[in-house]
Amino acid sequence: MSTTPNVPYRLEFSVEVPGTPEQVWQAIATAQGMSAWFTPTEMEEREGGSLHFSMGPEMGSDGQVTAWEPPRRLVYEEDWAALMGKEPDALSPLTSEFLVEAQSGGTCVVRVTSSGFGTGAAWEPEFWDTMAPGWMPFFDNLRLYLAHFPGQEATHLEATASHDGAADALWSALHDALDLGAKGATVEVRGATGTVERVGDRQMLVRLTAPVPGMLSLYTWDDADGRATAGVRAYLFSADAADYVRREEPAWRAWLEGLSVPA
């Protein structure tokens, strides 16, 4: 028996980013642009086009572009029910709208609204409560991408490893092992140099300058069953990036697996 979704949920925020509306549109409304600061993305760049966000091995979110008004407004829907493993008609689509507003001084404000209708199940408010802290740090990536790499295609590096214990302890181990600094600090991260752009709760964003320019995000999160995962995600912008990833991705994975976490 199907359930009619009727409990409204909504998340709204805005970010100011450098660039013209056309540059911002390229970043938020094309597969190449989204892949350069969010997750690897496949998109048919038109109203009615299909959409897929890759979220890891055999994990992803499928959707459809429902409004396409370059360079001002993008709306897409994701299959919230499928994403959460629910019956197809148990939940409304998860709708996200991006509005681009040009500002004086060469910047734009991007207003983001995500909304959906649930059934009032206990897990739904938790989903929305964790959406903002999980999603909003990506918009620092967007700001950095538009400031330093606008229009460029990213090569991805991604590695994770799970450990017994809590994410806080794992983050402390990762942070201390890499000798990470405060925002604005120049750091060396396993042979790569860069500047700390953001320090958050169990996460950090570094703008890389050498040997390959790009953005590198470090993070930990709590898994089920008393374990935690440490991860690194990098967006690299260079003709040498693919060779760098082939060499460094397995090395990062081995390094993360070898972290010593206090009991």
Side-chain angles (χ1 to χ4, degrees):
M1 189 175 100
S2 65
T3 306
T4 303
N6 59 6
V7 179
Y9 296 98
R10 190 175 184 90
L11 168 67
E12 291 182 273
F13 60 93
S14 61
V15 293
E16 187 170 4
V17 296
T20 65
E22 290 74 19
Q23 288 173 316
V24 175
W25 180 261
Q26 184 278 332
I28 67 168
T30 70
Q32 177 178 307
M34 290 286 278
S35 299
W37 61 273
F38 187 42
T39 68
T41 300
E42 300 169 25
M43 179 191 295
E44 293 178 341
E45 296 163 8
R46 58 177 176 81
E47 185 171 332
S50 64
L51 181 68
H52 178 79
F53 296 121
S54 176
M55 298 177 176
E58 300 179 11
M59 290 178 58
S61 179
D62 292 305
Q64 184 178 45
V65 177
T66 56
W68 175 270
E69 302 169 21
R72 194 184 70 83
R73 180 173 178 261
L74 170 74
V75 184
Y76 59 80
E77 294 182 346
E78 296 172 81
D79 190 339
W80 187 19
L83 192 61
M84 303 309 297
K86 306 298 180 182
E87 290 297 318
D89 52 359
L91 300 165
S92 76
L94 182 60
T95 300
S96 293
E97 179 182 52
F98 291 68
L99 294 175
V100 180
E101 300 175 4
Q103 307 292 296
S104 60
T107 67
C108 289
V109 169
V110 182
R111 304 191 187 282
V112 184
T113 304
S114 287
S115 58
F117 290 88
T119 62
W123 62 268
E124 292 170 5
E126 183 179 342
F127 173 88
W128 287 89
D129 288 345
T130 58
M131 178 185 278
W135 198 22
M136 288 178 66
F138 282 105
F139 288 85
D140 282 328
N141 298 0
L142 173 63
R143 187 183 298 112
L144 211 56
Y145 172 65
L146 285 164
H148 297 280
F149 313 107
Q152 296 187 44
E153 184 174 0
T155 300
H156 293 93
L157 180 156
E158 189 146 10
T160 61
S162 293
H163 291 264
D164 292 329
D168 285 337
L170 183 55
W171 175 253
S172 293
L174 184 154
H175 188 280
D176 292 348
L178 291 175
D179 193 23
L180 297 173
K183 183 177 179 179
T186 299
V187 292
E188 182 174 334
V189 185
R190 297 195 59 257
T193 55
T195 303
V196 177
E197 296 281 349
R198 182 189 72 234
V199 178
D201 182 21
R202 302 193 306 249
Q203 57 182 267
M204 180 172 283
L205 178 66
V206 178
R207 179 170 64 88
L208 299 176
T209 51
V212 177
M215 307 181 293
L216 183 142
S217 179
L218 299 153
Y219 52 88
T220 65
W221 77 86
D222 284 306
D223 295 336
D225 305 321
R227 289 175 68 80
T229 292
V232 57
R233 178 188 296 116
Y235 311 81
L236 304 171
F237 304 95
S238 164
D240 302 325
D243 288 338
Y244 181 83
V245 169
R246 273 191 291 271
R247 183 175 68 251
E248 291 297 324
E249 195 169 69
W252 263 111
R253 190 170 293 110
W255 187 88
L256 290 169
E257 290 170 352
L259 273 175
S260 177
V261 185

